[in-house]
Amino acid sequence: MDENKEVAVLDFNEMVDWIKLETEYDRDTIEHILEMETEWLKQAGVVIEEGESPNE
């Protein structure tokens, strides 16, 4: 994992590969679940897109 002084940066493909090895789920399923998790975190206000105000 690369690190910025403010935000940790994950390698999405590395994460998907690791989950695939550990679970034997197919790549498409893993990617879809992770994308849905990100959408849920955005809706919950936990994840804020770059350039967005936290109050939007």
Side-chain angles (χ1 to χ4, degrees):
M1 172 172 59
D2 293 327
E3 240 180 84
N4 177 315
K5 291 185 180 187
E6 296 178 24
V7 178
V9 178
L10 298 174
D11 182 321
F12 184 77
N13 289 318
E14 182 181 332
M15 180 172 50
V16 172
D17 290 342
W18 182 83
I19 294 170
K20 186 175 184 294
L21 285 172
E22 294 293 318
T23 65
E24 298 182 11
Y25 286 110
D26 65 275
R27 185 172 196 84
D28 288 339
T29 299
I30 296 165
E31 288 178 358
H32 184 72
I33 291 169
L34 291 173
E35 289 166 6
M36 292 296 92
E37 177 194 31
T38 300
E39 287 303 313
W40 184 83
L41 290 170
K42 287 177 188 177
Q43 290 180 20
V46 175
V47 172
I48 299 169
E49 291 287 330
E50 188 174 335
E52 286 184 0
S53 170
N55 298 324
E56 289 182 355

